[in-house]
Each structure stands twice: as C-alpha cells, then as structure tokens.
Amino acid sequence: MITEQRSKYLSDSVQSIQPSGIRRFFDLASSMENVISLGVGEPDFVTPWNVIEASYHSLEQGYTAYTANAGLFELRKEISRYMRRRFGVTYNAENEMVVTVGASQAIDIALRAVVNPGEEVIVVEPSFVSYAPTVTLAGGVPVPVHTYSQNEFKLQPEHIEEAVTEKTKAILLCSPNNPTGTVLSKADLLKIAEVVEKHDLLVISDEIYAELTYDEPYTSFPSVGNMRERTILISGFSKAFAMTGWRLGFACGPKDIQQAMLKIHQYTMMCAPTMAQHAALEALVNGQKDVIRMKESYRQRRSLVTHALEEMGLSCHTPGGAFYVFPSIKSTGLSSEEFAEQLLMKEQVAVVPGSVFGESGEGHIRCSYATSISKLEEAMKRIKRFIENME
Ligand code: PLP
C-alpha cells in the first residue's frame, strides 16, 4: 500500500534504479563481529597532516564563504599545472575546468550536460557501480559493453563498434578500472580513439586512479590522438591523496562543455566546500611525496594478495592499477553472490560479489587491498580455509 502510494510520486527514472549492491552487502557485514573487510573502495590512510592543517588555516583565516562557482582560482591554476606536469594534458584554469564535490558529482554533471533524453551511453563493464544509474538519472540509456578476464578485462574496440547505434552519444571509460584494476596502455587507448573518432563520440574518462599505477607510466585519454576535444576528464583527490571524506574532485575538458557543466554546478551545488578546496591546494603543492609513499605501500600489498589468491587456486591477473584485485571464483561452482555471502558467514571476510559491477563481473569477487598487511594476511588465511573446507 505504502509502496503504491509512494511510487505515484516518484519519478520513473529513480524507480528504475536499484540501491548499490555494495551497500546492501556491507550493512550485513557491519552487524557482525570480527569481520575483516576487503570491501570498501577507499584508502586506509588518514589524509596527510599538512593537508588537514591547511583546512584548519582556511577556517582560522575566516574563509567560510562560497568560492567562485568553478572553484578557487588558485586551486584551478594548481590543478592545471598538476595535470600538465603529471599527465601531459593542458587545460585553461579560467574556463576549461570545474572543481566539484568529488569525482562523483563531476560524472553526474558531465552526463547531464551532454545527454539528451533517450541517448545512449556506453558503459564499459564490469564498472564502478554509479555509472549506469547516473546515466539513467541523466535521462540517458546505459549500454553495457563487456570486458573479459581472458583479455585482462581490457576493452576491445570491436566490441564498442558492435554496441554503437545512431543514438550513441558517449563512452564512459575508467582506467585504472574499478573493480578490475585494469590499466589501458597508450596502444589500447589509440585503438579506442579510432572508433571514437569514426563514430563522432564523446568520452567521459574517469581517471581518478591515475596516480595509482604500478607497472607502466600512465597515459591519460585526452593526451592521445585528437581526443582532447572529445574528452571530459574526471579526477579528484579521494584515492591518491587519501581524501574520500573531503568530497573534492574536478572535471577538465573543452570550454563549451565545461561551461555547460558549470551551469548545472552553479544552480545545483554553488561550489565545492571552501576548506576542502584549500586542503586540496596544499595536497597538490606539497603532497606528491605522500602519494608516492602510499602507492609503494599499495604495491607491496598487491603482490601479497595476488600471490596468495593464485596459490589457493583463485586465478587473477595482476592488476596494473587502483587498489583492487578481481579474482575468478568460477572453480568453486558458486555464484559471486553466494561466494561472498558464505565467506562472510563462515570466515567473516567481506568481499564484493563481482555481479554488482555488471553482468560480466559474475564469477569474480572484488577484494580491495587498501587495508593493513596484517589484516590482508589474516584475510588470505581465512579465504584459503574457506576454499579448503569446500573441497
Ligand atoms: N570513480 C571511480 C572509478 C571510483 O571508484 C570512485 C569511488 O569509489 C569514484 C569515481 C568516486 O570518487 P569521489 O570520492 O571523488 O566521488
């Protein structure tokens, strides 16, 4: 009765999306004791002290008002320098950038700025859980393109070709990828760029894990071919700078698109939090050594986890970036949901079923290794025991 009454008032789009599968699972885990969580997608480090202090100073100096809608000009200039220095992409701080409330808001306003009702957006799956629902809320139609473990979950250009229709507007790309950790090389990106150009598409390139690559130098999508004019680059401070709770991200791209995104941001958000913007400025100016320190720690943990999983027979490619491994659990005969649920109940280890990241994630689980070595070692012992007891 209540549901019927409510649904009368709710929009079709909000009713067509489901709450995040990750949250549902972690509500269950949080009600249990002695759980080791490999579930959360965030650094276990506290934000470096100098960054925290910069926000204190911001408040002490009385910066308690709104900033410019697009963000503090000083911060935008520093983002511009940072992107050129680290990734070889150049954006004008005056009009080719918007500072947002996390990368999440940047993705939302990017989609709302470019998608007309009914237009299709290709979502490369397995994908970050918010992409498809955000496309739907923007009035678009998410079209999944699957990637496969036999190609280390790398997007194959011919699969984009197969998915393109006259309604396709854009592709949502994510490298390094959440949940697979896969990094697309320059050669991979050039092949994707050819298809993008051929079909006159836009690319929303989520590069929030760009600092966290372990094997090869990172290539940013707008730096290849003619892609700068077709790309909305999304990034932020959450992952590399251990700042998830500060809610600070940014988008860069061609002026006309950024100015359109700014209109939405202006009317719906005003600006990102002022003290968080001052903290982010400090992170960019003095934070690179901490990024390297945290990354080296993730690299060590990646090695521990991939070796342990391989040894217990859960095959998994070595992910080139982010802080996730995405092993196959097909050999156990369980679905990813069954595996995650039974592992949680029997051994109190929380992982995320691959199916929450799209159909092509089925048969896998996502384990985040952004947790301490001692917890990772204990979790690996428990998973091993869980599998042995199954046999
Ligand atoms: N993009 C990807 C691929 C993510 O994994 C996440 C967070 O998990 C986000 C965006 C959201 O980042 P933010 O905290 O900056 O909103």
Side-chain angles (χ1 to χ4, degrees):
M1 179 67 177
I2 290 173
T3 320
E4 265 174 37
Q5 244 180 9
R6 281 179 136 198
S7 62
K8 187 173 128 193
Y9 295 107
L10 296 173
S11 71
D12 293 341
S13 59
V14 83
Q15 290 188 83
S16 74
I17 63 174
Q18 297 300 317
S20 161
I22 299 188
R23 280 284 142 231
R24 193 162 48 83
F25 208 77
F26 283 90
D27 287 347
L28 185 63
S30 65
S31 66
M32 295 170 61
E33 277 181 15
N34 189 26
V35 172
I36 299 182
S37 177
L38 308 183
V40 278
E42 62 179 334
D44 60 325
F45 295 102
V46 173
T47 307
W49 179 249
N50 59 316
V51 175
I52 294 176
E53 216 169 31
S55 75
Y56 288 172
H57 292 157
S58 164
L59 291 170
E60 269 166 9
Q61 288 164 39
Y63 288 113
T64 54
Y66 299 130
T67 65
N69 293 132
L72 282 170
F73 192 44
E74 279 309 302
L75 174 60
R76 281 182 281 142
K77 280 194 287 191
E78 205 51 53
I79 291 172
S80 178
R81 281 184 213 117
Y82 167 76
M83 294 306 284
R84 189 168 52 237
R85 182 174 75 239
R86 294 287 301 124
F87 306 114
V89 285
T90 307
Y91 291 101
N92 186 334
E94 276 182 35
N95 49 29
E96 293 186 318
M97 197 177 294
V98 182
V99 175
T100 56
V101 180
S104 304
Q105 192 220 350
I107 296 165
D108 179 36
I109 61 176
L111 287 165
R112 285 201 275 157
V114 303
V115 174
N116 287 308
E119 283 181 336
E120 295 173 357
V121 177
I122 290 176
V123 176
V124 183
E125 285 188 0
S127 79
F128 177 44
V129 290
S130 85
Y131 292 162
T134 312
V135 171
T136 303
L137 292 173
V141 179
V143 176
V145 165
H146 294 176
T147 58
Y148 301 94
S149 56
Q150 55 268 36
N151 307 316
E152 302 195 339
F153 292 102
K154 284 191 170 197
L155 173 63
Q156 305 300 303
E158 61 272 23
H159 295 163
I160 311 177
E161 289 270 11
E162 287 163 16
V164 168
T165 71
E166 66 211 9
K167 290 190 182 156
T168 312
K169 187 63 163 285
I171 304 182
L172 251 165
L173 268 190
C174 181
S175 167
N177 180 277
N178 173 7
T180 63
T182 296
V183 181
L184 298 172
S185 67
K186 184 168 184 183
D188 298 324
L189 295 177
L190 277 165
K191 284 188 226 147
I192 294 167
E194 265 178 43
V195 183
V196 166
E197 199 143 26
K198 178 173 162 197
H199 295 283
D200 193 15
L201 304 176
L202 278 171
V203 172
I204 300 172
S205 184
D206 183 348
E207 307 195 0
I208 190 151
Y209 294 100
E211 285 281 8
L212 303 178
T213 57
Y214 306 105
D215 304 320
E216 287 172 29
Y218 183 70
T219 306
S220 174
F221 191 70
S223 75
V224 306
N226 302 321
M227 289 302 108
R228 186 188 183 284
E229 295 317 308
R230 294 182 175 276
T231 307
I232 305 174
L233 188 155
I234 307 286
S235 194
F237 295 86
S238 284
K239 312 292 173 169
F241 295 93
M243 293 179 69
T244 47
W246 298 78
R247 311 308 304 126
L248 212 72
F250 57 90
C252 303
K255 179 178 160 188
D256 54 343
I257 298 180
Q258 290 304 302
Q259 293 309 301
M261 287 168 61
L262 181 59
K263 273 197 285 186
I264 305 173
H265 181 67
Q266 191 169 73
Y267 287 126
T268 56
M269 200 60 68
M270 305 282 266
C271 66
T274 304
M275 68 209 176
Q277 293 192 52
H278 281 117
L281 183 57
E282 170 64 18
L284 291 182
V285 175
N286 290 314
Q288 202 62 32
K289 61 181 185 320
D290 290 305
V291 172
I292 292 167
R293 171 179 57 84
M294 292 187 271
K295 172 172 145 168
E296 287 316 309
S297 172
Y298 295 136
R299 186 202 299 278
Q300 243 187 318
R301 305 173 200 193
R302 175 184 73 149
S303 162
L304 185 160
V305 171
T306 47
H307 285 125
L309 290 169
E310 282 288 352
E311 256 178 46
M312 60 182 98
L314 300 185
S315 74
C316 100
H317 77 280
T318 301
F323 35 60
Y324 309 106
V325 284
F326 202 60
S328 166
I329 47 96
K330 288 177 189 158
S331 59
T332 65
L334 298 177
S335 72
S336 63
E337 186 113 16
E338 287 164 346
F339 185 99
E341 204 156 326
Q342 291 184 24
L343 178 65
L344 180 61
M345 295 304 171
K346 292 188 178 156
E347 293 289 352
Q348 292 78 51
V349 177
V351 297
V352 184
S355 55
V356 310
F357 305 102
E359 206 184 304
S360 54
E362 183 48 85
H364 294 260
I365 51 167
R366 188 190 78 175
C367 307
S368 162
Y369 53 86
T371 193
S372 70
I373 295 266
S374 59
K375 280 192 186 158
L376 287 173
E377 282 171 344
E378 175 59 23
M380 290 303 122
K381 259 193 235 161
R382 293 187 192 184
I383 299 177
K384 186 163 182 250
R385 192 165 58 210
F386 173 69
I387 290 178
E388 283 168 356
N389 287 343
M390 227 186 263
E391 289 162 0

